[in-house]
């Protein structure tokens, strides 16, 4: 209990708004926080940096009252703080925006924000009662008690929320249902929810994990305005560029331990990376030349709709040869998701053909794509990449459980499956797994779950790997690991179709580049023949690039590429 380790003391007034001292939090078999210290000053943006699974989110959940620490003390605004639940943190002036938003889609923005802090219904507010009998009843309590129980009374909070949105430049209709908002707008609703409760400290847990670069820039501008108005912000992240661009100081955690706190301006990315992972990290990876082979993917005239029936792809042609990485660049929402799912066999095209190693599969079920050697790393690892409630072992073999190495057609050899899963965990450095049969996929951190999914897909030695945002939301060490594995697979002869919103990643890894805009391929090029500026312009629909005409003879990939400089495409 908290009372066993909070020491009574007098209030101490300093520039420190928050002091967390020697925080310890353990789970069965795991020390998530090992005597961690964290100090946040008034009016600063403080970065909390570390690899996936380093203990960042756990520490903040302790601060927000979601977890009770095993040891340690917390002082807020100079006074000891006891937190038994999130409401205690909110009452103290601490707000938190979680990585996975806590919103109800069918309710409006205003309704989501005021949930948990009811306002009196308009007819029963004191200012609307005058001196009549209702005013007397109100003062005695029963009418107001009934009204406040059964009505949210949204007029006044709606005006206040609109004012807050205008003050911080949030372009949000506060009457709109949350389900109609894009992901960036939903995040701003979460921030508004905290501001509505007049917090002094705002915690943001991996806030850019689901944002486009443009949305991330808008978020950082908002944070600067919040700090100018007197708030303090804790930014939980593993992205070094974000830390360098927006924070004043940064505390680094590694494997649950506090490595230290530094002034951001005094360190560079390499030093921060070394603090995070305990070694030097390569930001640029050598990409050796390889010999490409026959096409493993030939998609011609592919069109597709999204889940709402809206056209998202319009007669797209894509070819990937064995032993090459073809990068797809585009701003989120321009058809990348539908293209990835269509060529991976999990979304039916409305038109066009899809050949995998010469086999036409456009109308085939997903298992036919799997049998033909297609592996898929989806954009959303939690919803589409794993079965969260199943064990790490089951997730490791879910595409190949019928393989004879795991038993015959009747009996499942759990021993062989467990050994196989353990080997993948070790080979891909999937942390947080003490028992592959007991630990569930949903209990892994984002980066470690991504490595498990990648391990499963690459262990199949696929003909074609469709990788949609494979490094989104993972730390710098895991990014280095994933990129190296993609290049290794390419060097082994796999064709890789890589979707990414990170232009540096696309330029570093891709042999050829395609730009998609509003469901159409608007540029075909190579990293050597273009610039990031040109690709960025095309991504936003501002270019006039000409798409090269496909060669008549698709058989000789090497000859074709030499003849047209890598631009032609089937």
């Amino acid at each position: 209990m908290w009372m066993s380790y909070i020491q009574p003391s007098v209030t101490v007034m300093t520039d420190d708004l928050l002091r967390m001292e020697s925080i310890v939090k353990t789970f069965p078999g795991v020390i998530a926080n090992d005597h961690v210290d964290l100090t946040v000053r008034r009016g600063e943006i403080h970065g909390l940096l570390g690899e996936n699974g380093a203990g960042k989110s756990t520490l903040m959940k302790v601060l927000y009252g979601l977890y009770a620490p095993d040891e340690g003390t917390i002082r807020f605004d100079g006074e000891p703080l006891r937190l038994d639940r999130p409401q205690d943190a909110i009452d103290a002036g601490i707000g938190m925006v979680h990585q996975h938003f806590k919103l109800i889609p069918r309710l409006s923005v205003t309704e989501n924000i005021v949930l948990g802090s009811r306002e009196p219904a308009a007819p029963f507010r004191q200012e609307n009662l005058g001196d009549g009998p209702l005013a007397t009843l109100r003062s005695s309590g029963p009418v107001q008690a009934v009204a406040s129980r059964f009505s949210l009374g949204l007029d006044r909070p709606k005006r206040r929320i609109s004012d807050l949105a205008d003050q911080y430049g949030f372009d949000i209709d506060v009457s709109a249902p949350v389900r109609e908002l894009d992901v960036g707008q939903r995040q701003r609703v979460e921030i508004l929810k905290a501001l509505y409760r007049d917090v002094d400290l705002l915690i943001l847990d991996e806030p850019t994990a689901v944002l486009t670069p443009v949305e991330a820039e808008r978020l950082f501008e908002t944070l600067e305005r919040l700090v100018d108005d007197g708030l303090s912000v804790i930014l939980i992240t593993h992205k070094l560029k974000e830390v360098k661009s927006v924070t004043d100081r940064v505390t680094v955690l590694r494997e649950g331990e506090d490595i230290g706190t530094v002034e951001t301006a005094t360190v560079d990315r390499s030093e921060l990376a070394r603090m995070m992972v305990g070694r030097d990290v390569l930001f640029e990876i050598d990409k050796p030349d390889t010999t490409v082979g026959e096409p493993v993917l030939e998609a011609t005239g592919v069109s597709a709709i999204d889940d709402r029936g809206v056209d998202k792809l319009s007669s797209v042609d894509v070819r990937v040869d064995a032993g090459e990485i073809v990068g797809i660049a585009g701003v989120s929402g321009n058809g990348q998701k539908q293209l990835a799912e269509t060529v991976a066999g999990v979304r039916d095209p409305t038109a066009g053909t899809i050949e995998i190693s010469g086999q036409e599969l456009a109308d085939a079920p997903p298992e036919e794509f799997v049998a033909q050697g297609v592996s898929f790393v989806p954009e959303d690892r939690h919803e589409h990449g794993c079965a969260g409630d199943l064990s790490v072992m089951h997730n490791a073999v879910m595409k190949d459980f019928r393989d004879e190495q795991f038993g015959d057609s009747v009996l499942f050899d759990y021993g062989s499956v467990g050994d196989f899963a353990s080997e993948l965990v070790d080979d891909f450095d999937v942390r947080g797994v003490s028992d592959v049969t007991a630990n569930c996929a949903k209990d892994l951190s984002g980066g470690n779950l991504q490595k498990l999914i990648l391990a499963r897909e690459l262990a199949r030695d696929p003909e074609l790997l469709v990788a949609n945002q494979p490094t989104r939301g993972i730390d710098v060490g895991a990014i280095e690991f994933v990129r190296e594995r993609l290049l290794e697979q390419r060097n082994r002869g796999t064709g890789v179709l890589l979707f990414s919103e990170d232009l540096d990643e696309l330029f570093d890894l891709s042999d050829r580049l395609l730009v998609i805009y509003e469901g159409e391929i608007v540029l075909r090029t190579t990293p050597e023949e273009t610039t990031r500026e040109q690709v960025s312009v095309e991504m936003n629909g501002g270019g006039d690039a000409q798409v090269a005409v496909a060669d008549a003879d698709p058989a000789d990939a090497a000859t074709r590429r030499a003849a047209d400089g890598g631009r032609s495409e089937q």
Side-chain angles (χ1 to χ4, degrees):
M1 293 294 295
W2 271 96
M3 294 303 290
S4 64
Y5 52 84
I6 291 185
Q7 302 298 320
S9 65
V10 297
T11 299
V12 178
M13 297 303 294
T14 69
D15 285 338
D16 298 336
L17 176 66
L18 169 71
R19 294 183 66 88
M20 303 181 75
E21 299 176 340
S22 296
I23 300 297
V24 175
K25 179 59 184 176
T26 62
F27 299 98
V30 178
I31 302 177
N33 294 141
D34 189 359
H35 295 90
V36 174
D37 295 334
L38 175 66
T39 301
V40 178
R41 296 170 182 165
R42 289 179 172 84
E44 77 167 345
I45 299 178
H46 193 107
L48 187 57
L49 181 67
E51 293 183 276
N52 297 107
K56 308 182 300 295
S57 294
T58 298
L59 184 67
M60 290 300 96
K61 287 178 180 178
V62 168
L63 177 58
Y64 196 58
L66 290 166
Y67 292 153
D70 303 319
E71 300 177 29
T73 60
I74 299 176
R75 293 180 181 277
F76 191 73
D77 207 13
E79 297 186 357
L81 188 62
R82 172 174 177 163
L83 301 167
D84 293 322
R85 55 180 182 160
Q87 188 61 51
D88 295 334
I90 294 170
D91 292 342
I94 300 171
M96 185 169 182
V97 177
H98 299 269
Q99 182 176 355
H100 303 290
F101 304 146
K102 310 297 182 182
L103 300 172
I104 301 175
R106 66 183 181 84
L107 297 185
S108 71
V109 170
T110 298
E111 289 167 336
N112 270 278
I113 289 173
V114 303
L115 281 177
S117 56
R118 293 178 183 272
E119 292 277 343
F124 299 99
R125 293 188 196 124
Q126 184 65 55
E127 64 267 25
N128 294 330
L129 294 179
D131 298 321
L134 277 179
T136 304
L137 279 173
R138 182 197 183 283
S139 62
S140 63
V143 171
Q144 181 59 49
V146 172
S148 63
R149 181 174 295 273
F150 293 104
S151 175
L152 288 174
L154 295 179
D155 292 342
R156 185 165 57 182
K158 187 175 181 179
R159 288 194 296 271
R160 184 181 170 207
I161 293 165
S162 293
D163 290 342
L164 283 171
D166 292 341
Q167 179 181 349
Y168 292 105
F170 293 169
D171 183 18
I172 296 177
D173 178 1
V174 299
S175 300
V178 164
R179 66 171 175 264
E180 296 180 359
L181 306 183
D182 62 34
V183 67
Q185 291 174 317
R186 294 187 188 199
Q187 186 180 70
R188 292 192 281 278
V189 173
E190 288 280 19
I191 294 175
L192 281 172
K193 189 192 300 183
L195 298 178
Y196 181 75
R197 287 159 174 77
D198 294 321
V199 300
D200 299 306
L201 175 65
L202 179 63
I203 306 165
L204 298 173
D205 188 1
E206 303 284 5
T208 63
V210 293
L211 300 185
T212 66
V214 173
E215 289 172 330
E217 286 298 326
R218 291 188 61 185
L219 171 65
F220 295 151
E221 292 171 1
T222 298
L223 297 186
E224 296 286 358
R225 286 198 291 269
L226 292 174
V227 170
D228 288 343
D229 285 347
L231 267 73
S232 298
V233 175
I234 298 177
L235 178 68
I236 308 175
T237 185
H238 54 259
K239 298 182 178 180
L240 300 179
K241 287 184 178 179
E242 292 179 2
V243 167
K244 288 295 294 178
S245 66
V246 76
T247 67
D248 300 297
R249 294 189 303 146
V250 56
T251 297
V252 181
L253 301 187
R254 185 169 75 231
E255 295 182 354
E257 296 184 354
D258 172 16
I259 302 302
T261 298
V262 295
E263 300 283 342
T264 307
T266 66
V267 293
D268 59 23
R269 284 203 305 159
S270 297
E271 292 172 296
L272 289 173
R274 194 178 304 115
M275 292 176 70
M276 281 178 62
V277 303
R279 60 175 175 80
D280 290 332
V281 175
L282 297 175
F283 291 100
E284 294 184 4
I285 299 176
D286 290 333
K287 184 176 65 177
D289 293 332
T290 63
T291 302
V292 298
E294 296 298 315
V296 294
L297 167 67
E298 291 185 284
T300 305
V302 173
S303 299
I305 58 176
D306 65 13
D307 295 337
R308 299 170 299 168
V310 177
D311 291 332
K312 297 298 289 187
L313 289 181
S314 178
S315 193
V316 169
D317 297 344
V318 175
R319 189 199 75 249
V320 180
D321 297 331
E324 72 167 348
I325 296 178
V326 177
I328 304 289
V331 176
S332 179
N334 277 273
Q336 299 96 309
K337 180 176 185 288
Q338 289 72 30
L339 178 57
E341 292 177 347
T342 301
V343 299
V346 297
R347 180 180 296 273
D348 292 331
T350 56
T353 61
I354 300 173
E355 292 188 8
I356 305 296
S357 298
Q359 178 90 20
E360 171 57 41
L361 295 179
D363 297 322
E367 53 264 32
E368 288 295 325
F369 282 77
V370 173
Q372 198 64 24
V374 177
S375 283
F376 182 36
V377 178
E379 179 181 28
D380 189 327
R381 51 181 167 258
H382 290 280
E383 183 174 356
H384 302 298
C386 73
D389 291 324
L390 295 184
S391 71
V392 168
M393 178 189 72
H394 285 96
N395 275 273
V397 299
M398 61 171 47
K399 286 191 174 179
D400 292 305
F401 64 91
R402 294 186 179 90
D403 194 289
E404 61 182 15
Q405 68 173 313
F406 302 135
D408 55 30
S409 59
V410 178
L411 298 177
F412 198 50
D413 187 345
Y414 278 93
S416 297
V417 175
D419 291 343
F420 174 78
S422 296
E423 289 176 6
L424 289 187
V425 166
D426 291 340
D427 188 25
F428 282 75
D429 191 28
V430 182
R431 302 177 187 179
V433 180
S434 57
D435 184 344
V436 296
T437 64
N439 296 122
C440 292
K442 67 180 180 182
D443 297 328
L444 298 179
S445 69
N448 285 301
L449 178 56
Q450 188 76 346
K451 286 195 282 188
L452 176 63
I453 294 169
L454 191 68
R456 179 188 67 213
E457 299 303 315
L458 294 188
R460 306 180 60 245
D461 198 17
E463 297 290 323
L464 172 69
L465 172 65
V466 181
N468 193 359
Q469 315 298 335
T471 61
R472 175 187 284 173
I474 62 177
D475 61 71
V476 63
I479 287 173
E480 178 192 43
F481 179 89
V482 169
R483 290 177 178 177
E484 287 177 341
R485 289 301 178 124
L486 291 178
L487 285 174
E488 287 177 11
Q489 201 64 37
R490 165 240 198 199
N491 296 341
R492 294 176 61 179
T494 295
V496 180
L497 187 62
L498 172 63
F499 295 79
S500 179
E501 292 170 15
D502 184 336
L503 283 184
D504 289 337
E505 180 168 85
L506 289 173
F507 271 78
D508 288 345
L509 298 182
S510 301
D511 298 293
R512 289 187 290 126
L513 273 173
L514 310 183
V515 179
I516 189 170
Y517 177 71
E518 293 188 346
E520 298 181 358
I521 302 300
V522 296
L523 176 65
R524 305 175 190 273
T525 184
T526 70
E528 295 76 21
E529 294 175 322
T530 189
T531 64
R532 286 164 174 77
E533 290 73 21
Q534 182 186 9
V535 170
S536 180
V537 168
E538 297 291 346
M539 286 169 57
N540 289 279
D544 56 358
Q546 298 296 314
V547 178
V549 178
D551 285 296
D553 180 12
D556 189 347
T559 302
R560 182 172 63 249
R561 185 136 333 106
D564 65 12
R567 291 181 178 272
S568 69
E569 186 74 28
Q570 280 284 356

